[in-house]
Amino acid sequence: MLVLAKPKLVACLPASDFPLENPRTQTRNFPYTNTLAVICPKPRMKEQITVSEAITKGHLIINVPVMIIMFGVPGIAMYLFIEKIVPNWTIGIGFFLGFGLAWLYWSFAITKWRLWAFENVRNVHELKKRAIQSGLIWAESKWYNKTELKSEKDKSKWKELLKKFERKDEYIEDHSLPNKTTIYYSKFKNTYDLIIMFGALGIGLFLLIKSDSYIIGSVLILVGAYFGFKEIKQLLDTNPQIIIDNKGIKTITLELKSWSEIKNEEVVMEGSGKTSQFYLVFNYKNGSEKILIDDFNISAKKLEIALRTYRIRNNKNYR
C-alpha cells in the first residue's frame, strides 16, 4: 500500500490595494513566543562597587561635611561678631565647637561608610590601602581609630566582614596599557618646583640686601639654591627611571628582573598628610628595590595598575 505524505495547500491571493492589509514576509526561524525563563529572568546579584567609587563616596559623605562643619561654625561666629551680635570671645568658642562637632560627625560617619564599603567592594585589601593613602581612614596603629562610634550591631557586622580579608584580591588586565611603560622624571613638576625655588632664592636675596633679616634671607637662599639645583638636575635628566613590561621591571639602578624573580611588588605610602611619599617596592632573589616615585610622570594609582596588568600578561604568556 502506498502512503503519501500529508499534502500542503498553497493559496496565491491577490495583493490588496491597501498596503497595511498585506501580510509581512516571515523570515524568522525561531518561535514567536519566548520561554518562561526569558520572560521571567532570574534576579541578578547586587553589583559590586569599585574601589574608586567607594573612595569617592567616602570623601563626599565624610571629608566634605567635616570641612564644612569645621570652618562653617567659626565662620558663623565671626560673622555674628562682625555684625556686633556676639562678643569677640565667641570666635574662639566657634573654633573649638567646630572642631568638636566635625570630629563627632567623622566618628559616626566613618563607621557607616566602612561597613558599607567593605561589604560592597570585592578587593578589600586594595580598598583598605587606598583609603589610608587618601586620608579617609587611619592606619590600625593610630589611636584615632578608638574614637569611632560603633554600636554592638556595627561591631558584630564588622567582625563578619573581616572574613573577606581571608581572600586575595582579584584584578583584571588594563587593555589600554601599551606593551611597555617607560617612566621619566615629570618635566611639568620639575619646572613648577624650580619656579618656586627661584622665588625663594629671590626673596632671600631681597631680604639680605634691603632689610636686616639676615637669618631668614640666608635660609631662603640656601633652600632655594639646594632644591633648585636638584630640580635642574632632574629636568635635564632624560634617562628612563623605570621600565615595566611583560618581561619584568627595570629601574635606573637595577638591571631587568623577570616577573618570575620578583615578589611582593607594590606602591607604598610612607608618612601622612602633606609629608607623605610614595615608593615602588619589590623583592627579588638576593635583594630588594625601593624607589621614590613622587617626581615621576606617573601617579601611584596608575603605577599600581601597571604592575598588576604586566604581571597578568606575563602569567598568560607562561601558562
Side-chain angles (χ1 to χ4, degrees):
M1 180 175 64
L2 181 62
V3 179
L4 298 177
K6 185 179 179 180
K8 295 182 179 180
L9 298 178
V10 179
C12 296
L13 301 177
S16 172
D17 293 333
F18 300 96
L20 293 178
E21 294 182 355
N22 295 323
R24 296 179 181 178
T25 303
Q26 301 295 326
T27 58
R28 295 179 295 179
N29 58 357
F30 53 84
Y32 289 96
T33 58
N34 290 322
T35 62
L36 185 61
V38 176
I39 296 174
C40 303
K42 296 180 180 180
R44 294 189 304 172
M45 295 181 64
K46 183 169 58 175
E47 293 183 357
Q48 292 290 328
I49 305 298
T50 66
V51 172
S52 295
E53 290 172 342
I55 296 295
T56 300
K57 184 173 181 178
H59 285 298
L60 289 176
I61 67 175
I62 298 174
N63 288 351
V64 172
V66 163
M67 298 300 292
I68 293 174
I69 296 171
M70 184 177 295
F71 294 102
V73 173
I76 293 173
M78 189 173 295
Y79 171 79
L80 294 176
F81 167 70
I82 294 173
E83 294 295 323
K84 299 181 179 180
I85 299 175
V86 297
N88 58 357
W89 52 265
T90 308
I91 298 176
I93 294 178
F95 278 101
F96 283 105
L97 184 61
F99 180 81
L101 290 176
W103 194 290
L104 181 63
Y105 174 82
W106 176 87
S107 300
F108 171 79
I110 193 63
T111 298
K112 300 304 178 185
W113 175 85
R114 190 194 297 269
L115 295 176
W116 169 83
F118 283 88
E119 179 181 15
N120 290 279
V121 171
R122 168 60 181 84
N123 291 348
V124 293
H125 296 280
E126 181 187 3
L127 174 61
K128 180 180 178 181
K129 180 180 178 180
R130 289 269 305 277
I132 294 174
Q133 290 178 350
S134 63
L136 196 54
I137 63 175
W138 300 97
E140 293 181 354
S141 59
K142 300 294 184 179
W143 66 268
Y144 309 109
N145 295 311
K146 297 180 180 180
T147 65
E148 295 182 17
L149 299 178
K150 301 177 183 177
S151 64
E152 291 301 322
K153 184 179 179 181
D154 294 335
K155 293 178 181 178
S156 177
K157 186 174 182 179
W158 178 245
K159 187 177 180 180
E160 287 296 318
L161 290 174
L162 287 176
K163 297 178 181 178
K164 296 182 68 174
F165 285 90
E166 298 174 2
R167 297 182 298 174
K168 292 184 178 180
D169 289 350
E170 294 179 354
Y171 301 105
I172 59 175
E173 177 183 352
D174 185 352
H175 297 283
S176 65
L177 284 178
N179 293 331
K180 178 188 293 185
T181 294
T182 305
I183 302 169
Y184 300 90
Y185 280 116
S186 173
K187 303 309 177 186
F188 174 81
K189 185 178 183 303
N190 291 144
T191 303
Y192 176 80
D193 291 343
L194 184 60
I195 293 174
I196 294 177
M197 292 304 107
F198 279 155
L201 189 62
I203 294 174
L205 290 172
F206 175 82
L207 292 176
L208 281 179
I209 298 172
K210 298 293 184 178
S211 71
D212 296 330
S213 303
Y214 300 113
I215 297 177
I216 298 177
S218 299
V219 171
L220 288 175
I221 290 175
L222 291 174
V223 171
Y226 175 80
F227 288 101
F229 176 77
K230 171 178 171 288
E231 297 300 333
I232 292 175
K233 185 178 178 181
Q234 292 181 357
L235 194 61
L236 298 177
D237 190 345
T238 58
N239 295 314
Q241 302 301 305
I242 304 174
I243 299 176
I244 313 175
D245 57 19
N246 300 349
K247 297 179 182 178
I249 303 176
K250 178 182 179 182
T251 71
I252 190 67
T253 58
L254 186 69
E255 290 298 321
L256 176 67
K257 296 297 179 181
S258 66
W259 287 110
S260 60
E261 300 177 79
I262 297 171
K263 304 292 182 182
N264 305 319
E265 69 280 1
E266 63 175 334
V267 177
V268 299
M269 181 185 75
E270 294 186 359
S272 61
K274 298 296 183 180
T275 62
S276 61
Q277 294 180 312
F278 290 91
Y279 295 85
L280 167 64
V281 298
F282 59 89
N283 300 324
Y284 58 90
K285 187 176 181 180
N286 299 326
S288 62
E289 182 76 347
K290 180 180 180 181
I291 182 168
L292 182 67
I293 66 169
D294 290 346
D295 294 329
F296 296 162
N297 61 345
I298 191 170
S299 66
K301 179 181 176 181
K302 290 184 177 180
L303 182 54
E304 284 271 17
I305 294 174
L307 292 172
R308 296 166 189 155
T309 293
Y310 291 116
R311 167 71 77 176
I312 292 172
R313 291 179 183 178
N314 178 266
N315 293 339
K316 286 181 178 179
N317 293 337
Y318 291 96
R319 279 181 180 175

PDB file of all heavy atoms in Angstrom, residues 9-22:
ATOM      1  N   LEU A   9      -1.430  22.720   1.151  1.00  0.00           N
ATOM      2  CA  LEU A   9      -2.146  23.553   0.195  1.00  0.00           C
ATOM      3  C   LEU A   9      -1.573  24.954   0.227  1.00  0.00           C
ATOM      4  O   LEU A   9      -1.354  25.538   1.292  1.00  0.00           O
ATOM      5  CB  LEU A   9      -3.636  23.593   0.545  1.00  0.00           C
ATOM      6  CG  LEU A   9      -4.347  22.230   0.484  1.00  0.00           C
ATOM      7  CD1 LEU A   9      -5.806  22.406   0.893  1.00  0.00           C
ATOM      8  CD2 LEU A   9      -4.240  21.615  -0.902  1.00  0.00           C
ATOM      9  N   VAL A  10      -1.285  25.480  -0.912  1.00  0.00           N
ATOM     10  CA  VAL A  10      -0.730  26.817  -1.035  1.00  0.00           C
ATOM     11  C   VAL A  10      -1.698  27.671  -1.818  1.00  0.00           C
ATOM     12  O   VAL A  10      -2.098  27.294  -2.932  1.00  0.00           O
ATOM     13  CB  VAL A  10       0.644  26.820  -1.715  1.00  0.00           C
ATOM     14  CG1 VAL A  10       1.170  28.244  -1.832  1.00  0.00           C
ATOM     15  CG2 VAL A  10       1.613  25.931  -0.970  1.00  0.00           C
ATOM     16  N   ALA A  11      -2.091  28.802  -1.243  1.00  0.00           N
ATOM     17  CA  ALA A  11      -3.036  29.685  -1.925  1.00  0.00           C
ATOM     18  C   ALA A  11      -2.329  30.967  -2.318  1.00  0.00           C
ATOM     19  O   ALA A  11      -1.594  31.552  -1.531  1.00  0.00           O
ATOM     20  CB  ALA A  11      -4.218  30.006  -1.007  1.00  0.00           C
ATOM     21  N   CYS A  12      -2.497  31.383  -3.520  1.00  0.00           N
ATOM     22  CA  CYS A  12      -1.919  32.635  -4.003  1.00  0.00           C
ATOM     23  C   CYS A  12      -3.041  33.666  -4.084  1.00  0.00           C
ATOM     24  O   CYS A  12      -3.887  33.621  -5.005  1.00  0.00           O
ATOM     25  CB  CYS A  12      -1.283  32.440  -5.378  1.00  0.00           C
ATOM     26  SG  CYS A  12       0.133  31.302  -5.366  1.00  0.00           S
ATOM     27  N   LEU A  13      -3.079  34.542  -3.129  1.00  0.00           N
ATOM     28  CA  LEU A  13      -4.131  35.546  -3.061  1.00  0.00           C
ATOM     29  C   LEU A  13      -3.643  36.852  -3.671  1.00  0.00           C
ATOM     30  O   LEU A  13      -2.462  37.207  -3.553  1.00  0.00           O
ATOM     31  CB  LEU A  13      -4.528  35.779  -1.602  1.00  0.00           C
ATOM     32  CG  LEU A  13      -5.044  34.533  -0.841  1.00  0.00           C
ATOM     33  CD1 LEU A  13      -5.323  34.899   0.602  1.00  0.00           C
ATOM     34  CD2 LEU A  13      -6.286  33.976  -1.516  1.00  0.00           C
ATOM     35  N   PRO A  14      -4.503  37.563  -4.315  1.00  0.00           N
ATOM     36  CA  PRO A  14      -4.095  38.856  -4.922  1.00  0.00           C
ATOM     37  C   PRO A  14      -3.781  39.884  -3.828  1.00  0.00           C
ATOM     38  O   PRO A  14      -4.379  39.870  -2.769  1.00  0.00           O
ATOM     39  CB  PRO A  14      -5.325  39.260  -5.728  1.00  0.00           C
ATOM     40  CG  PRO A  14      -6.467  38.560  -5.073  1.00  0.00           C
ATOM     41  CD  PRO A  14      -5.931  37.253  -4.591  1.00  0.00           C
ATOM     42  N   ALA A  15      -2.798  40.736  -4.091  1.00  0.00           N
ATOM     43  CA  ALA A  15      -2.424  41.781  -3.129  1.00  0.00           C
ATOM     44  C   ALA A  15      -3.519  42.816  -3.019  1.00  0.00           C
ATOM     45  O   ALA A  15      -4.201  43.127  -4.002  1.00  0.00           O
ATOM     46  CB  ALA A  15      -1.117  42.442  -3.553  1.00  0.00           C
ATOM     47  N   SER A  16      -3.670  43.351  -1.813  1.00  0.00           N
ATOM     48  CA  SER A  16      -4.684  44.361  -1.575  1.00  0.00           C
ATOM     49  C   SER A  16      -4.194  45.716  -2.051  1.00  0.00           C
ATOM     50  O   SER A  16      -2.986  45.978  -2.136  1.00  0.00           O
ATOM     51  CB  SER A  16      -5.025  44.412  -0.074  1.00  0.00           C
ATOM     52  OG  SER A  16      -5.862  45.508   0.198  1.00  0.00           O
ATOM     53  N   ASP A  17      -5.125  46.586  -2.365  1.00  0.00           N
ATOM     54  CA  ASP A  17      -4.772  47.959  -2.748  1.00  0.00           C
ATOM     55  C   ASP A  17      -4.326  48.777  -1.549  1.00  0.00           C
ATOM     56  O   ASP A  17      -3.794  49.881  -1.702  1.00  0.00           O
ATOM     57  CB  ASP A  17      -5.978  48.638  -3.409  1.00  0.00           C
ATOM     58  CG  ASP A  17      -6.312  47.992  -4.754  1.00  0.00           C
ATOM     59  OD1 ASP A  17      -5.381  47.441  -5.372  1.00  0.00           O
ATOM     60  OD2 ASP A  17      -7.490  48.054  -5.163  1.00  0.00           O
ATOM     61  N   PHE A  18      -4.559  48.261  -0.340  1.00  0.00           N
ATOM     62  CA  PHE A  18      -4.150  48.956   0.879  1.00  0.00           C
ATOM     63  C   PHE A  18      -2.935  48.232   1.480  1.00  0.00           C
ATOM     64  O   PHE A  18      -3.041  47.070   1.892  1.00  0.00           O
ATOM     65  CB  PHE A  18      -5.293  48.967   1.891  1.00  0.00           C
ATOM     66  CG  PHE A  18      -6.535  49.658   1.371  1.00  0.00           C
ATOM     67  CD1 PHE A  18      -7.567  48.927   0.812  1.00  0.00           C
ATOM     68  CD2 PHE A  18      -6.630  51.041   1.435  1.00  0.00           C
ATOM     69  CE1 PHE A  18      -8.689  49.567   0.323  1.00  0.00           C
ATOM     70  CE2 PHE A  18      -7.766  51.676   0.959  1.00  0.00           C
ATOM     71  CZ  PHE A  18      -8.801  50.944   0.386  1.00  0.00           C
ATOM     72  N   PRO A  19      -1.750  48.874   1.481  1.00  0.00           N
ATOM     73  CA  PRO A  19      -0.510  48.192   1.922  1.00  0.00           C
ATOM     74  C   PRO A  19      -0.571  47.593   3.309  1.00  0.00           C
ATOM     75  O   PRO A  19       0.007  46.549   3.563  1.00  0.00           O
ATOM     76  CB  PRO A  19       0.551  49.310   1.860  1.00  0.00           C
ATOM     77  CG  PRO A  19      -0.006  50.300   0.886  1.00  0.00           C
ATOM     78  CD  PRO A  19      -1.502  50.250   1.030  1.00  0.00           C
ATOM     79  N   LEU A  20      -1.282  48.236   4.232  1.00  0.00           N
ATOM     80  CA  LEU A  20      -1.332  47.746   5.599  1.00  0.00           C
ATOM     81  C   LEU A  20      -2.062  46.421   5.715  1.00  0.00           C
ATOM     82  O   LEU A  20      -1.906  45.696   6.694  1.00  0.00           O
ATOM     83  CB  LEU A  20      -1.987  48.779   6.513  1.00  0.00           C
ATOM     84  CG  LEU A  20      -1.192  50.083   6.727  1.00  0.00           C
ATOM     85  CD1 LEU A  20      -1.987  51.041   7.606  1.00  0.00           C
ATOM     86  CD2 LEU A  20       0.154  49.786   7.343  1.00  0.00           C
ATOM     87  N   GLU A  21      -2.899  46.085   4.703  1.00  0.00           N
ATOM     88  CA  GLU A  21      -3.647  44.830   4.745  1.00  0.00           C
ATOM     89  C   GLU A  21      -2.816  43.663   4.225  1.00  0.00           C
ATOM     90  O   GLU A  21      -3.193  42.507   4.390  1.00  0.00           O
ATOM     91  CB  GLU A  21      -4.935  44.956   3.931  1.00  0.00           C
ATOM     92  CG  GLU A  21      -5.934  45.955   4.527  1.00  0.00           C
ATOM     93  CD  GLU A  21      -7.212  45.993   3.708  1.00  0.00           C
ATOM     94  OE1 GLU A  21      -7.238  45.308   2.660  1.00  0.00           O
ATOM     95  OE2 GLU A  21      -8.154  46.680   4.129  1.00  0.00           O
ATOM     96  N   ASN A  22      -1.701  43.935   3.560  1.00  0.00           N
ATOM     97  CA  ASN A  22      -0.867  42.864   3.017  1.00  0.00           C
ATOM     98  C   ASN A  22      -0.010  42.262   4.128  1.00  0.00           C
ATOM     99  O   ASN A  22       0.631  42.993   4.875  1.00  0.00           O
ATOM    100  CB  ASN A  22       0.042  43.400   1.914  1.00  0.00           C
ATOM    101  CG  ASN A  22      -0.749  43.889   0.720  1.00  0.00           C
ATOM    102  OD1 ASN A  22      -1.774  43.287   0.372  1.00  0.00           O
ATOM    103  ND2 ASN A  22      -0.280  44.977   0.085  1.00  0.00           N
TER     104      ASN A  22
END
